[in-house]
Amino acid sequence: MDSPDELFDHICLTVFGGANSILNYRLVAAGSMNQAIYLNTEKGAFFLKSNFEQEADIFPRESEGLTLLRENCNLYVPDTVAMGQYEDRHYLLMQWISSSFPKPDYSSRLGEGLAELHMCTSKQFGLEKDNYIAVLPQKNTWNSSWTAFFIENRLEPQLQLAFYKGLIDQDFLHYFRSIYDVLQDFFPSEKPALVHGDFWTGNIMVDSNGLPALIDPAVYFGNREMDLAFSRLFGGSTNGFFDAYQQVFPLEPGFEERVPVYNLYPLLVHLNLFGKAYLPGIQKTLKRFAG
């Protein structure tokens, strides 16, 4: 990791109002996308994300997504303290979430909170601005049809990116698109719901009170089943979570059958981020639904 001292000095002066206000820090994560650092300061504990090469508006869009979550559900969502750019490094400073052991009603509280979020609706599917899922652009062009939105704004951009990167060939491109006819009457007819958009266990934390907290959103108004399907992709969701959700906001019949189709989107995202190891999961769904 490059020395963050100059960035720390900048944050001390512009955010905390003086030099030497950072008592200590530790690296939380260092990947190809972002560096994540815990900052212990005279003003409290904070979480600092920074990157060098990504788009300049990634962190503003993330901050806006956090605000949407915070305003529309009772789950804990950290506040943005500051964001900006220092030389060639973009940064986002947020409240630190101190973890604890989950309370017995943790899973049910998560289900109830997600259901509450999904009750926030809009006239169309989409969002006022495009944003990101991880570091990949996410189109949010408004559309009155969920099927059209899912194909045009979710599947096609990721599919074309995978082809451009040489992860799939022309034959696979055509094979994937054969599923589009199947999708025309596939989804339940529901109002657009505000979704987290990247709802997997890595983006759900246990806060200091033992209750669920949400981070790293990729928000938009979409089909609420997207979040629920994504929660199952890498494991981690519990019956208590799903049952609590169902009590508050019951799903239309057939959700279990639709889960693999919704998860084509996050699988394509992971294909583009991490490589061909995610192709078999996509192929399995295509074989089942596209023939």
Side-chain angles (χ1 to χ4, degrees):
M1 181 180 74
D2 294 335
S3 173
D5 291 345
E6 292 184 2
L7 176 60
F8 289 173
D9 290 342
H10 170 77
I11 290 172
C12 285
L13 291 172
T14 60
V15 179
F16 302 130
N20 302 319
S21 58
I22 295 177
L23 304 176
N24 54 71
Y25 69 89
R26 70 173 184 270
L27 185 65
V28 178
S32 58
M33 304 173 197
N34 295 307
Q35 291 179 349
I37 298 172
Y38 164 80
L39 294 181
N40 181 27
T41 80
E42 295 174 352
K43 301 293 181 72
F46 300 92
F47 179 71
L48 175 66
K49 292 173 70 172
S50 67
N51 64 51
F52 291 95
E53 299 178 356
Q54 308 305 334
E55 299 294 332
D57 63 343
I58 284 184
F59 289 151
R61 297 294 84 79
E62 179 177 345
S63 180
E64 291 164 2
L66 291 169
T67 299
L68 272 174
L69 296 181
R70 194 182 309 110
E71 292 176 345
N72 291 288
C73 75
N74 61 12
L75 299 175
Y76 180 76
V77 179
D79 282 324
T80 297
V81 178
M83 60 182 164
Q85 181 174 353
Y86 177 73
E87 295 184 349
D88 59 349
R89 186 182 297 197
H90 306 288
Y91 67 88
L92 175 66
L93 187 69
M94 295 179 290
Q95 293 174 319
W96 175 259
I97 300 175
S98 297
S99 294
S100 180
F101 292 103
K103 285 187 174 180
D105 64 345
Y106 170 88
S107 293
S108 60
R109 296 280 284 268
L110 179 61
E112 293 163 358
L114 186 67
E116 180 186 20
L117 178 68
H118 289 169
M119 288 178 180
C120 178
T121 188
S122 175
K123 292 181 179 180
Q124 292 188 307
F125 299 97
L127 201 64
E128 290 181 357
K129 298 177 182 178
D130 293 342
N131 53 17
Y132 297 85
I133 182 163
V135 296
L136 296 181
Q138 181 171 260
K139 288 179 61 179
N140 292 319
T141 306
W142 294 108
N143 201 307
S144 59
S145 163
W146 165 248
T147 300
F149 180 90
F150 185 59
I151 292 172
E152 296 168 12
N153 289 354
R154 292 295 173 264
L155 300 182
E156 268 296 306
Q158 296 297 327
L159 186 68
Q160 292 177 29
L161 179 60
F163 179 72
Y164 173 79
K165 296 174 72 171
L167 296 166
I168 59 173
D169 59 19
Q170 192 79 41
D171 289 341
F172 187 90
L173 189 73
H174 291 311
Y175 179 46
F176 189 102
R177 286 173 173 163
S178 68
I179 200 174
Y180 294 166
D181 287 339
V182 178
L183 301 185
Q184 298 308 313
D185 299 309
F186 185 78
F187 302 109
S189 178
E190 292 195 340
K191 293 181 179 180
L194 181 60
V195 297
H196 179 282
D198 198 357
F199 193 75
W200 70 290
T201 53
N203 290 336
I204 306 164
M205 300 184 65
V206 184
D207 70 13
S208 59
N209 296 313
L211 299 176
L214 301 180
I215 60 171
D216 290 349
V219 299
Y220 61 98
F221 288 92
N223 187 306
R224 61 193 176 107
E225 292 183 341
M226 287 286 286
D227 275 347
L228 293 159
F230 201 165
S231 74
R232 299 186 176 192
L233 184 58
F234 302 117
S237 63
T238 65
N239 289 333
F241 158 74
F242 189 75
D243 292 345
Y245 184 97
Q246 284 278 67
Q247 287 292 320
V248 177
F249 198 176
L251 297 170
E252 293 294 321
F255 166 69
E256 302 293 341
E257 285 291 306
R258 296 187 288 272
V259 167
V261 173
Y262 291 122
N263 281 338
L264 283 172
Y265 177 56
L267 284 172
L268 282 170
V269 168
H270 280 74
L271 171 67
N272 284 318
L273 287 174
F274 306 115
K276 292 185 178 181
Y278 291 92
L279 266 178
I282 297 170
Q283 292 168 325
K284 181 179 179 180
T285 298
L286 294 178
K287 183 176 181 181
R288 177 178 171 185
F289 291 94

